[in-house]
Amino acid sequence: MKKNIAIIMGGYSNEYKISLASGNVVYETLDTNKYQAYRIHIFKDKWVYVDNENIEFPIDKNDFSIHIDGLKITFDCVFNAIHGSPGEDGYMQGYFELLNIPHTSCNMYQAGVTFNKRDLLSILKPYGIKTAESYHLNLGESYNEDTIIGKVGLPCFVKANKAGSSFGVSKVHEKEKLKQAIDVAFQEDNEIIIESFLDGIEVSVGVITYKGKSKVLPITEIVSENDFFDYEAKYLGKSQEITPARLTKEQEVKVTHVAKKIYEVLKMKGFSRSEFIFKEGEPHLLEMNTVPGLTRESILPQQAAAADISLTDLFDNAIQEALK
């Protein structure tokens, strides 16, 4: 008997269009002999099932069910394709865990921690994970630009702390532009993180639970046409994504070890994609994404393909792991 799979997509962040694209790829790719898939759009003003004629049916949030022609449909598993809030920050994970519905992403605590850049880096520091120098700032706090620059130097990155990695990010080359960058970041979040610039090879490392074990996928090197790996570089083709990355064997071994260590220290499951920059031969962690892009052009599917894992297999494995 086919399993009913709810593919949740959309979300409350500026990345909702990418999430819809990811979710639709999952919908088109899942094995129809094993699964009956349902596209579920999650937005602030509505949670709805969208059928193939684009007719919408409301979700009953009491038990995450839908009613079609008098028939109540419940779900065996939820495939999470929401980038950003509420799919990547722990809210949906907590909701499904309360309802006892299996889902493909990490648990609530892991989602909350990894979505909060400064908490993630603080937790990992005692484990010897190297990171950039950073300065933290909450909305409404006074700050001194010279103090910030004294700690992180120039150029530096100003980022929203809990808003993914595509919006609210600025690279600041001179003191006079720092306030503007801080204001931009605060438009996305009430907490920001300001980090030193790391000049080196940037790589993205996918780690997943595959057939019951942590698996590090082939590494991707990021070469941005822009000043850094921003929204345009990530989603609008303004970057080269080279898989496998052009690393020395020593670099490859180091970053593979660190990425797997982070995944296991955090007791992760499901998909993850961590970003690193090599400084003086050592990988420094920037952040971890727990609901990475899943379109055919996205980095994690590229890495899976390089490991001879098809999208159908990748998505099927995620569901099977969730159902264990």
Side-chain angles (χ1 to χ4, degrees), residues 197-203 221-222 276-280:
F197 170 61
L198 300 175
D199 190 9
I201 299 169
E202 181 169 356
V203 295
E221 180 182 349
I222 308 296
F276 297 88
I277 289 181
F278 280 91
K279 179 185 177 185
E280 296 171 358

Side-chain angles (χ1 to χ4, degrees), residues 31-266:
D31 185 346
T32 55
N33 293 315
K34 296 173 70 172
Y35 305 117
Q36 182 66 50
Y38 296 81
R39 293 178 299 169
I40 310 294
H41 289 191
I42 304 287
F43 293 111
K44 283 184 177 177
D45 60 343
K46 62 182 178 181
W47 290 23
V48 292
Y49 158 58
V50 181
D51 72 8
N52 288 332
E53 279 72 51
N54 287 321
I55 298 170
E56 297 181 351
F57 299 83
I59 297 291
D60 183 345
K61 294 183 185 178
N62 291 297
D63 60 0
F64 199 69
S65 64
I66 53 177
H67 291 81
I68 302 174
D69 298 330
L71 180 67
K72 179 176 178 174
I73 297 171
T74 58
F75 300 102
D76 298 295
C77 182
V78 173
F79 196 111
N80 184 6
I82 297 178
H83 313 314
S85 189
E88 201 167 3
D89 53 5
Y91 287 102
M92 296 306 295
Q93 288 85 347
Y95 170 70
F96 292 125
E97 285 158 27
L98 285 171
L99 292 176
N100 201 28
I101 301 174
H103 58 86
T104 58
S105 49
C106 59
N107 291 334
M108 179 181 72
Y109 172 76
Q110 283 77 6
V113 163
T114 52
F115 198 68
N116 186 311
K117 297 180 183 72
R118 65 193 194 189
D119 285 2
L120 172 68
L121 300 177
S122 297
I123 286 169
L124 292 173
K125 195 170 185 179
Y127 292 93
I129 306 302
K130 294 178 171 59
T131 64
E133 285 288 339
S134 62
Y135 189 98
H136 306 147
L137 198 59
N138 296 324
L139 185 63
E141 286 181 351
S142 60
Y143 60 88
N144 181 288
E145 293 167 3
D146 290 323
T147 302
I148 295 171
I149 292 168
K151 183 169 187 189
V152 302
L154 287 173
C156 64
F157 281 100
V158 181
K159 305 175 180 180
N161 189 47
K162 308 186 302 294
S165 56
S166 301
F167 296 94
V169 184
S170 303
K171 186 175 180 182
V172 177
H173 294 268
E174 50 202 46
K175 175 183 171 182
E176 290 72 25
K177 298 290 177 66
L178 183 59
K179 182 183 183 303
Q180 180 187 354
I182 289 171
D183 292 342
V184 167
F186 275 135
Q187 289 174 18
E188 295 292 329
D189 188 21
N190 59 7
E191 300 173 0
I192 67 172
I193 182 169
I194 305 168
E195 293 181 322
S196 60
F197 170 61
L198 300 175
D199 190 9
I201 299 169
E202 181 169 356
V203 295
S204 185
V205 188
V207 187
I208 62 175
T209 302
Y210 187 70
K211 298 183 178 177
K213 295 181 179 179
S214 303
K215 181 177 179 64
V216 181
L217 298 172
I219 299 161
T220 299
E221 180 182 349
I222 308 296
V223 183
S224 177
E225 293 176 19
N226 293 352
D227 202 14
F228 62 96
F229 195 46
D230 59 4
Y231 183 89
E232 280 191 341
K234 189 175 293 184
Y235 297 124
L236 302 180
K238 295 291 185 75
S239 68
Q240 278 184 283
E241 295 160 6
I242 303 163
T243 309
R246 299 168 298 183
L247 300 176
T248 65
K249 189 62 183 174
E250 182 184 12
Q251 289 173 323
E252 182 184 341
V253 168
K254 279 184 177 179
V255 77
T256 296
H257 171 74
V258 171
K260 188 176 182 183
K261 180 178 180 179
I262 290 168
Y263 189 90
E264 293 179 346
V265 159
L266 294 173

